[in-house]
Amino acid sequence: MKTLSRENLNLWLDGLAAQHALIAPHLEAPGVFYRPVQRAQEIAWEAGRPVLSAKEFLFPPSERLLKVEKRGPDVRLEASPSAAPQVIFGLRPCDARGIRVLDTAFVDTPPIDSRYASRRENTLLVGLACRSMGASCFCTAVGLAPDDPRDMDVMFSDRGATLAVQALTPRGEALIANLPLVEELGEVEPASRREVGGLPTAEAWKESYSDARWAKHGERCLSCRLCAYVCPTCRCYDVRDEALPSPPGEAHFERLRAWDSCMREGYRLTAGGHNPRAASGSRLRNRLLCKFVYYPHQYGPAACTGCGRCLDACPVNLDLLEIGGALQEAAQ
Amino acid sequence: MSISEAMQSAARDVLASGQVQRVIGYETGPHGRVRPAIIDRPEEAERLVWSADCTHNLTVYLHRALTGENGRASREAVAPPARVAIVVKPCDSRAINVLLAEHQFSREQVFAIGMACEGMRQGAPASAPEATLQARCLRCRERVPVVHDVLLGEPPSALPEALPDEALAHVRDLPPAERAAFWLSQFDRCIRCYACRQACPMCNCPTCLFEQEDALWVGMRIAPSEKRTFHLGRALHLAGRCVGCNECERVCPMGIPIGLLNRHLAETVESLYGHRAGMQPVLSPVTGMLSAEESAP
Amino acid sequence: MSTADGADPMYPLLGRLVSSRDMGREIKLLGVKLLNGTQPRFPAYAPGQFAFLSAFGIGEAPFGLASTTERGEVLEFAVQRLGSVTTGLHELAEGDALGVRGPLGNTFPMEAFQHKNLLVLGGGIGGAPLRPVIHSVLDHRQDYGQLTILWAARHPSLLIFRDEYESWRAAPHTELHLTVDEADAAWDHHVGLMTDLVRQVAPSAANTVAITCGPPIMIYHVDKLLSELGFAPEQRYVTLEARMHCGLGKCGRCNMGELLVCRDGPVFSMAQVGNFLESYL
């Protein structure tokens, strides 16, 4: 295997941060978050999975789609600039998978979302394997593993004084081409994994639509949307025009998109007052079926990477493994 | 009989006798995490538990439980229960008074199973057994809910000395410019998930001012200006109404000390008006009521 | 977003409002032409498709295209004032610029409908996306069988395209039946719900395709009734609306089960939809 000394890794990361945006796990008061860092020193190495996913670097919480300038009856439109290069380092396999899942909707399925595509083309994914699974992790239940390198450009595995490196894509190979890698005998020790079962098949999820327990589960739900905001793959958004400071005689606006979630009570409320998902149980059911039935139907993969953030974040312990397990039992 | 058993017995009785059609309490999930439980049948009462992990403020469920909005997954209307029983700690019970004063429901619609509370542990609802009590509980002066139809547990005869609120003292004593800088930097971490609002029993506007589609007050951007307006605005809306259950701070994924801001405003209202939220079912003096005549143009 | 030639499909084309006329209570028929020199040109579109109209400064919303490419260059939209975007569109003056994004969505399978009888059921503003179907049939009258139009609204002031009823009735093998929930003094047609009118007209399902559009609750009940009257799922078409923000299958909002109204619809046969319709109500 190829390895890199810790010292050389830090030098390299410092160099990357100087050239373009380097995003890495960073310790803040409430926990570790993926954040832009200026130096390798700022990276939190011993962290488990960061509190939020890395999706905000491809799909920001809010961003401009276009600018609108009105002068009397006339209008002028201006497109948004393309994205700057960035490297996401220390990415966990579940979060890399999250980005791949979003790719299938935004880039692989036409028409291409040019905002997302612009960022994606300019982003390199450099992963750090997990050595073990956290208490709420269930990546193995969705066919992933804590050290799965598949969705990365480059993957590092921390062995203490050195890190093992592998390039998975041509861009990844180019990225590490000039690193002083050392060829070492042996293999990277696989991460310790825990098999987690209990997720129903897509068919079983789909058939659960009329199960009376959805209403019961929904009773406890606060529609707080934390599950969607911490999730690596939730991607629903709202679009609206909002005012900008304008020169006299003109009215300037930007057309924004911002994160929204199907768990919000008013998500499907139409101007006429009709709301097909006014009941919280129907929203909960929609979100989980979207992850395991609707998203795969439209774009290919299931929209869940088993990161377990929703299990930690939910204030009232709504647990998709528990819900799925119960549905599976009922189906048998 | 343990307190859990007393609670189960009380819930079973009120359901079986038809006094209430629903009980909102706590249960333990499969992984040992305490969570809200909403039950309709006497047989389900055995699920209920009471422990130092019962940190949720269940009054957040009252309004929707009483209007039949809950327990649905389709547009089929469900007849709302006439009366609901709810397990409340002293802090939660004050929320009932605030909501009563604001006409969210009537006293007859609620059967309060009051718990004599010895405090909730840090890390609740999934705390380690050896964890210390939450700071808010160490500061708390109440052991008996101010609203209860039945009281379970033994209130202590004497209260231990209250822990001083050092965080509040620190913030209160900061010079205004520094205090502003502190709070603004806290709000900047916000991701506008609104979990704080959804967990709060007092945040019950049908459409939140800060999420209106016409963006009259606050736009959709997830950016510092909007986040600051939301947090400052929400804190003002809660002044004199917040009961310090700290759910807002517990659910925040970004560790924003929302509870601290609310405590500061609560202290301010108490020192200016002598009003402490929810001790009686009376409106906060800081809340204005517009009648139809007053709001006519 | 990019199309094959790199254009961003969230980027609207600039058009001008060439006509805005009242068509009913809080309902206007807007006519839009693309600005000279706007590229690309608005592509040819077919009955069933929709486009997003931008009231710049407020936002965009999807509206069924109520015109046909055949009948002219002007894009027509029936807009009922209900919320902020529709208010913004109503307040535009003729000559003002606005945005158009489209055509989006799928189309009615007009070729598959040929030589069949058509039963067209339009409720309220829902009649707007059905007008191109009616126009296509009238403009190619020989290609289709009997055309039976059932047109409903809550009140006579909410009936749309009233100035066309005579031309519809005058066409060969074409019938028009009207109903309102609540009549006014001048009303002398049927009073009652669309389902009442359907029972009265008692259409035969033989070699007939039904196309329904209207408020969700009307679609639901009409569809049930048509099923009882012997219309098989493949004979029952609906065109649906849902709150949308991209119209391109990205924002996730308009799903009805695993189907996206913007991408898999808005035209659906009930054979496709099955019991997803319940989740739409």
Side-chain angles (χ1 to χ4, degrees), chain A residues 105 109 111-112 114 235 267 299, chain C residues 1-2 97 249-250 253 255 264:
Chain A
T109 306
I112 296 171
S114 63
R235 48 80 210 210
Y267 178 75
Y299 314 110
Chain C
M1 289 167 229
S2 307
K250 302 288 169 210
R253 190 169 303 248
N255 81 298
D264 303 307

Side-chain angles (χ1 to χ4, degrees), chain C:
Chain C
M1 289 167 229
S2 307
T3 52
D5 62 1
D8 179 348
M10 277 302 278
Y11 204 92
L13 300 175
L14 282 180
R16 223 171 262 298
L17 191 65
V18 296
S19 62
S20 170
R21 62 178 180 86
D22 285 319
M23 200 170 47
R25 200 195 321 157
E26 304 282 28
I27 303 174
K28 284 186 193 260
L29 186 67
L30 304 183
V32 180
K33 263 180 110 157
L34 290 193
L35 293 184
N36 282 336
T38 298
Q39 291 297 331
R41 307 299 308 159
F42 199 82
Y45 56 94
Q49 294 192 293
F50 66 96
F52 272 76
L53 288 180
S54 287
F56 285 117
I58 302 171
E60 341 168 82
F63 299 93
L65 279 152
S67 46
T68 58
T69 318
E70 256 189 311
R71 285 200 181 188
E73 218 189 313
V74 175
L75 309 171
E76 289 186 311
F77 303 89
V79 176
Q80 186 172 31
R81 195 176 75 82
L82 286 171
S84 47
V85 172
T86 48
T87 299
L89 291 171
H90 270 224
E91 288 173 357
L92 291 175
E94 288 178 14
D96 280 350
L98 74 169
V100 195
R101 226 170 29 88
L104 298 168
N106 65 352
T107 64
F108 284 106
M110 298 305 293
E111 272 189 32
F113 292 168
Q114 284 179 358
H115 312 300
K116 296 204 157 89
N117 302 319
L118 291 182
L119 178 64
V120 173
L121 306 110
I125 197 69
L130 301 179
R131 183 194 187 222
V133 175
I134 296 171
H135 284 186
S136 290
V137 171
L138 296 185
D139 292 345
H140 301 272
R141 200 65 196 88
Q142 318 279 49
D143 293 342
Y144 302 91
Q146 176 78 17
L147 173 63
T148 311
I149 307 169
L150 273 60
W151 220 237
R154 274 180 289 125
H155 185 270
S157 63
L158 295 167
L159 281 170
I160 58 175
F161 304 118
R162 270 174 298 186
D163 55 349
E164 297 186 28
Y165 298 166
E166 229 181 273
S167 66
W168 296 355
R169 279 198 181 96
H173 307 294
T174 305
E175 275 174 37
L176 170 65
H177 304 270
L178 302 172
T179 186
V180 292
D181 298 2
E182 189 196 307
D184 62 12
W187 188 255
D188 61 357
H189 304 281
H190 187 276
V191 176
L193 300 173
M194 176 65 95
T195 41
D196 300 328
L197 187 64
V198 173
R199 283 192 196 92
Q200 195 191 70
V201 169
S204 159
N207 196 38
T208 308
V209 168
I211 308 169
T212 310
C213 185
I217 194 74
M218 184 202 101
I219 294 184
Y220 181 73
H221 287 290
V222 164
D223 189 74
K224 256 173 56 171
L225 178 57
L226 290 175
S227 172
E228 287 166 25
L229 291 174
F231 286 78
E234 315 76 67
Q235 290 175 271
R236 307 193 315 263
Y237 278 79
V238 292
T239 169
L240 301 177
E241 69 154 9
R243 179 167 165 173
M244 294 178 189
H245 281 294
C246 72
L248 307 163
K250 302 288 169 210
C251 79
R253 190 169 303 248
C254 67
N255 81 298
M256 185 174 60
E258 64 197 19
L259 303 173
L260 290 174
V261 176
C262 69
R263 243 181 123 209
D264 303 307
V267 174
F268 293 100
S269 94
M270 288 310 289
Q272 270 178 289
V273 169
N275 53 10
F276 281 142
L277 195 61
E278 247 180 74
S279 71
Y280 168 76
L281 293 178

